[in-house]
């Protein structure tokens, strides 16, 4: 199996070397003439560049937030930019309450899971519709925003959704094609809007998903991915309806369990926990989804 080349982290200094005014000009949010007006007001009042531009009505608070995010290499998008699903709130609503929750989950995972050298994590739930794919896609973005080379693998070969969330198209090759030798590194799609994020969609829907995921080729792929990336997150099918999730989680070695408030029965959650534990998967935590 050819190793997927790791993404290179830009060695140049980020953030502080680029001033707000420079970013606003380069992005077209301020014309050269407007920038001169702002500098003139700065000299008269002692205001910061962004504050002076706001006072003149030349930019908005959103422009300032976006420029600061670019200054500190924290990328997010305007509504409609990238054509991603609105479920990808890490891309479009970076300062929302939901995003604070995802950042808190990321922090806990860094301590409880990634901190001991682990890189591969399956995100599981008892059934469909409990927010598993929503959670793992947003976690992938927030890990990449931390500067971690992140790969999101859609290992739900029955009802995949990551190709829709990231607007990758329905007919592209992906994990299933890699597992039968029909594709190579081109199956992994780099998400250019986020410097350190790549997605491997599910690919062609196979008639035998469990058998594919049980092959040694899947273990080999995960080893290659773990060598090439800092974080490897796996979306899985619902764990009650099939054994796919148990198979993926066993190979990942660790799982984050997602359940939905007032929807997921405790009995199903406990059953899935027992099944994952029985196949040697360590459950690093559980998330009660209220969104």
């Amino acid at each position: 199996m050819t190793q997927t080349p790791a993404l290179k982290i830009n060695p140049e200094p980020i953030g502080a070397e680029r001033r707000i005014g420079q970013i606003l000009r380069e992005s077209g949010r301020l014309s050269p003439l407007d920038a001169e007006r702002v500098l003139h007001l700065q000299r008269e009042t002692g205001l910061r560049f962004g504050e002076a531009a706001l006072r003149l009505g030349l930019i908005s608070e959103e422009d300032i937030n976006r420029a600061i995010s670019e200054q500190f290499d924290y990328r997010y998008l305007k509504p409609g930019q990238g054509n991603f699903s609105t479920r990808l709130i890490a891309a479009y609503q970076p300062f929302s309450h939901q995003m604070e929750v995802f950042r808190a989950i990321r922090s806990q995972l860094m301590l409880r899971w990634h901190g001991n050298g682990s890189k591969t994590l399956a995100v599981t739930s008892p059934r469909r519709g409990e927010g598993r794919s929503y959670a793992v896609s947003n976690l992938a973005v927030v890990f990449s925003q931390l500067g971690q080379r992140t790969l999101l693998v859609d290992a739900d070969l029955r009802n995949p959704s990551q190709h829709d969330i990231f607007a990758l198209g329905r007919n592209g090759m992906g994990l299933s094609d890699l597992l039968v030798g029909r594709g190579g590194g081109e199956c992994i799609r780099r998400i250019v809007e986020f410097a350190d994020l790549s997605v491997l969609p599910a690919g062609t829907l196979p008639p035998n998903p469990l058998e594919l995921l049980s092959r040694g080729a899947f273990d080999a792929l995960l080893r290659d991915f773990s060598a090439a990336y800092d974080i490897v997150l796996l979306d899985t099918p619902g764990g009650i309806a099939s054994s796919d999730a148990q198979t993926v989680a066993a190979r990942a070695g660790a799982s984050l369990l997602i359940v939905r408030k007032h929807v997921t029965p405790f009995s199903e959650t406990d059953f899935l926990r027992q099944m994952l534990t029985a196949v040697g998967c360590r459950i690093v935590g559980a998330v009660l989804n209220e969104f």
Side-chain angles (χ1 to χ4, degrees), residues 102-206:
F102 279 116
R103 291 188 192 100
I105 296 170
R106 179 188 64 189
S107 296
Q108 289 296 315
L109 288 174
M110 293 295 288
L111 293 170
R112 299 184 182 186
W113 162 67
H114 190 57
N116 64 10
S118 299
K119 290 187 174 184
T120 307
L121 180 70
V123 179
T124 59
S125 67
R127 296 188 182 276
R128 294 181 63 194
E130 290 166 319
R132 178 192 63 254
S133 297
Y134 158 79
V136 71
S137 60
N138 282 285
L139 282 173
V141 173
V142 296
F143 271 114
S144 74
Q145 289 171 333
L146 200 60
Q148 299 285 316
R149 295 168 300 171
T150 303
L151 175 65
L152 170 57
V153 179
D154 195 340
D156 185 349
L157 302 185
R158 298 176 186 270
N159 296 283
S161 59
Q162 297 303 330
H163 62 284
D164 281 335
I165 293 175
F166 286 93
L168 299 177
R170 292 181 174 273
N171 300 317
M173 292 197 298
L175 175 61
S176 64
D177 304 280
L178 280 177
L179 291 174
V180 296
R182 293 181 54 218
E186 74 278 1
C187 294
I188 297 175
R189 312 283 287 277
R190 183 169 178 180
I191 308 302
V192 297
E193 289 83 356
F194 297 96
D196 294 302
L197 178 62
S198 298
V199 175
L200 174 60
T204 307
L205 292 185

Side-chain angles (χ1 to χ4, degrees), residues 52 66 92 118-119 126 130 134 137 142 213 224 228 244-246 255 282-283 290:
R66 192 169 295 278
Y92 297 117
S118 299
K119 290 187 174 184
E130 290 166 319
Y134 158 79
S137 60
V142 296
L213 294 169
D224 286 347
D244 297 20
Q246 299 164 42
S255 174
R282 182 169 70 96
I283 298 177
E290 297 182 356

Side-chain angles (χ1 to χ4, degrees), residues 43-73:
R43 288 191 291 268
E44 288 185 342
T45 62
L47 291 171
R48 294 182 177 181
F49 189 94
E51 293 171 339
L54 280 172
R55 179 174 293 188
L56 290 170
L58 299 173
I59 60 172
S60 66
E61 289 282 358
E62 172 62 21
D63 291 326
I64 288 290
N65 288 336
R66 192 169 295 278
I68 292 173
S69 296
E70 291 180 30
Q71 189 181 47
F72 286 91
D73 202 34

